Amino acid sequence: MYKDLFVNTYGVPDLTFESGKGVYLYDNTGKKYLDFVAGIAVNSLGYSNEGFKNALKNQIDKLMHVSNLYQHQIGVTAAEKLKKYSGMDRVFICNSGTEAVEAAIKFARIYGKEKLGKEKFEIISAKNSFHGRTLGALTLTGQAKYQAPFVPLLPGVRHCEYNDITSLKKAITANTCAVILELMQCEGGMIEADYDYIHDVRKLCDELKILLIIDEVQTGVGRSGYLYSYQKYNLKPDIVTTAKGLGGGFPLGATLVTKKVATAITPGTHGSTFGGNLLASTAIDYVLTEVVENGILTNVKQMSKYLFEKLNQIESNLLKNIRGYGLLVGVELTIDSAIIIEKCLEKGLLIARAGTNTFRLVPPLVIKKEDVDQAIAILSEVLATYEKGDN
Ligand SMILES: *Cc1c(COP(=O)(O)O)cnc(C)c1O
């Protein structure tokens, strides 16, 4: 029994998935689900992608892991692509989003101490943000519900209002070394960063010579129609965190930095036993090649436009607001979204919560028009049934 085996951190429905193909999942009764969750923005290429499976299988046959005490060619290839397509200069590869954020915290702090002055260790984060669950990343996560059971947290973190430059200015002190922001607060309810705000933040960081960290763990790897959302925003961050979609289902993360930041980082200051091993690097190489070189960015832009068009045509009093960009879509309801998520699941459509009244649509990046049509049909039906009250 699941509940007698696992620590009770999730609260899962009574449902067991067995296989997947394209944008569909199948449970152990054979029921088919259209998946607009994609493992929480992870399965960028959908399920059971032949090329991806073969690349991983071939690497398993050759060599999976040698530790970061040695180099390997597939790691170099993966890092070259990350560097080239992101426009950043150096990469650190780890195993999850929260680890990518931990690395960003350490890189910002070491840069602060080495390059700005030894008291420069404070990091400013936004309220309502989500940056992960390990203690450092949790400290940045500006939501009391995640932090409360675990205080005291990391010293030297302050929170400001999102999309409010005045609030940020107030939070910055003489000890600040960095600001960390998401370009869409996804867990926080799919709230986009304003273009002008982000550029004001960049300007302010430049003036104060402090670092701008952009957390692209969820918004990255093609989901915005650009490899990274900061490219959509025409923004140049100093540090970028990336994970979720980067492995296409393989658990991994990465922290990307500029040359300037990299100069502060020396051997022994950070590391990971598994990070970027041959299998993980194969996944990064394959996913990046597919996303950037094989038409996925164009598909995201087209499907995004189509999805927003179709969502906006739904007539329901339960719909309050539809927002987002790319295949990062938030639908805010006038009611708690949990009930609608549950009804969609019954009808074979997977969607995920974001905030309380909002659900998010983060499908595989390879969806087609007919998948959108089907999702919209199920969603419209669920909303209409609920509104009529015969649920
Ligand atoms: C999911 C997420 C994280 C944490 O990633 P994990 O792989 O779950 O540790 C961090 N930041 C953002 C923006 C995320 O969406």
Side-chain angles (χ1 to χ4, degrees):
M1 271 286 280
Y2 185 98
K3 76 171 179 43
D4 299 325
L5 293 169
F6 291 95
V7 170
N8 189 21
T9 49
Y10 299 110
V12 293
D14 188 14
L15 173 69
T16 304
F17 287 123
E18 266 183 5
S19 64
K21 182 87 193 143
V23 298
Y24 287 94
L25 278 170
Y26 297 85
D27 72 12
N28 58 358
T29 69
K31 184 175 166 185
K32 188 176 172 181
Y33 298 81
L34 176 57
D35 186 6
F36 270 53
V37 177
I40 315 185
V42 165
N43 298 303
S44 3
L45 308 179
Y47 298 99
S48 202
N49 177 296
E50 287 302 322
F52 189 39
K53 285 194 298 187
N54 287 333
L56 291 173
K57 284 180 191 168
N58 290 339
Q59 192 58 50
I60 287 172
D61 287 340
K62 273 194 241 164
L63 187 62
M64 284 167 59
H65 179 83
V66 293
S67 103
N68 286 309
L69 299 172
Y70 313 101
Q71 303 180 27
H72 45 77
Q73 183 54 48
I74 184 66
V76 171
T77 305
E80 262 170 6
K81 288 197 179 159
L82 265 175
K83 177 176 166 168
K84 179 172 161 200
Y85 297 142
S86 70
M88 301 297 285
D89 299 319
R90 299 286 184 272
V91 312
F92 175 81
I93 306 177
C94 52
N95 313 288
S96 66
T98 202
E99 272 181 75
V101 172
E102 294 294 331
I105 294 170
K106 286 182 71 179
F107 295 164
R109 279 196 170 193
I110 198 170
Y111 176 85
K113 290 205 179 196
E114 297 295 321
K115 306 286 171 185
L116 304 176
K118 68 175 187 325
E119 73 294 345
K120 294 279 244 185
F121 63 89
E122 282 183 6
I123 301 177
I124 319 280
S125 178
K127 290 180 187 168
N128 195 49
S129 61
F130 187 87
H131 296 291
R133 307 273 193 170
T134 51
L135 284 169
L138 178 64
T139 311
L140 299 178
T141 294
Q143 299 190 53
K145 67 175 183 208
Y146 294 121
Q147 294 187 336
F150 307 106
V151 290
L153 298 171
L154 189 72
V157 172
R158 300 160 67 89
H159 289 93
C160 63
E161 299 295 333
Y162 192 56
N163 277 332
D164 181 344
I165 192 75
T166 312
S167 171
L168 174 62
K169 282 180 180 162
K170 274 192 206 143
I172 288 175
T173 74
N175 296 341
T176 303
C177 68
V179 175
I180 182 165
L181 291 171
E182 296 160 275
L183 292 176
M184 183 187 300
Q185 292 188 325
C186 298
E187 307 288 327
M190 307 304 272
I191 299 159
E192 285 168 61
D194 296 336
Y195 186 93
D196 290 344
Y197 166 71
I198 282 298
H199 285 273
D200 287 346
V201 174
R202 176 70 276 181
K203 236 185 277 160
L204 184 64
C205 290
D206 287 341
E207 279 164 25
L208 300 172
K209 297 190 166 51
I210 62 177
L211 302 177
L212 177 56
I213 307 168
I214 297 294
D215 184 347
E216 292 253 15
V217 168
Q218 193 153 169
T219 51
V221 198
R223 207 151 265 291
S224 63
Y226 297 77
L227 184 62
Y228 287 105
S229 295
Y230 62 79
Q231 294 165 324
K232 172 182 160 62
Y233 276 78
N234 266 315
L235 179 77
K236 183 83 176 99
D238 301 295
I239 300 179
V240 175
T241 55
T242 173
K244 292 195 168 86
L246 182 60
F250 196 90
L252 56 85
T255 307
L256 319 177
V257 302
T258 58
K259 256 188 217 153
K260 181 178 89 173
V261 175
T263 56
I265 304 160
T266 50
T269 51
H270 196 50
S272 164
T273 299
F274 294 119
N277 79 12
L278 291 95
L279 203 50
S281 295
T282 301
I284 294 176
D285 175 41
Y286 195 88
V287 169
L288 283 180
T289 307
E290 280 300 293
V291 169
V292 179
E293 297 173 20
N294 294 337
I296 287 188
L297 296 177
T298 311
N299 189 62
V300 170
K301 286 185 184 121
Q302 287 168 350
M303 289 307 114
S304 174
K305 189 161 171 275
Y306 190 64
L307 177 56
F308 276 105
E309 246 170 59
K310 291 284 161 181
L311 280 171
N312 281 309
Q313 284 166 11
I314 298 180
E315 280 178 32
S316 167
N317 292 325
L318 298 173
L319 286 181
K320 189 167 171 199
N321 185 236
I322 297 162
R323 56 180 175 258
Y325 54 74
L327 292 175
L328 282 160
V329 180
V331 179
E332 187 178 346
L333 303 174
T334 54
I335 54 168
D336 190 318
S337 59
I339 180 73
I340 298 302
I341 293 168
E342 193 187 313
K343 296 284 168 200
C344 284
L345 176 77
E346 283 168 20
K347 299 272 176 208
L349 172 67
L350 304 180
I351 56 177
R353 210 160 186 229
T356 42
N357 286 2
T358 302
F359 63 80
R360 83 191 105 167
L361 304 174
V362 287
L365 307 182
V366 295
I367 54 160
K368 301 190 187 78
K369 274 190 170 175
E370 57 258 37
D371 304 319
V372 173
D373 289 340
Q374 205 194 338
I376 295 293
I378 295 173
L379 187 57
S380 308
E381 188 197 333
V382 165
L383 290 172
T385 310
Y386 188 82
E387 217 178 327
K388 267 193 284 163
D390 37 318
N391 46 88

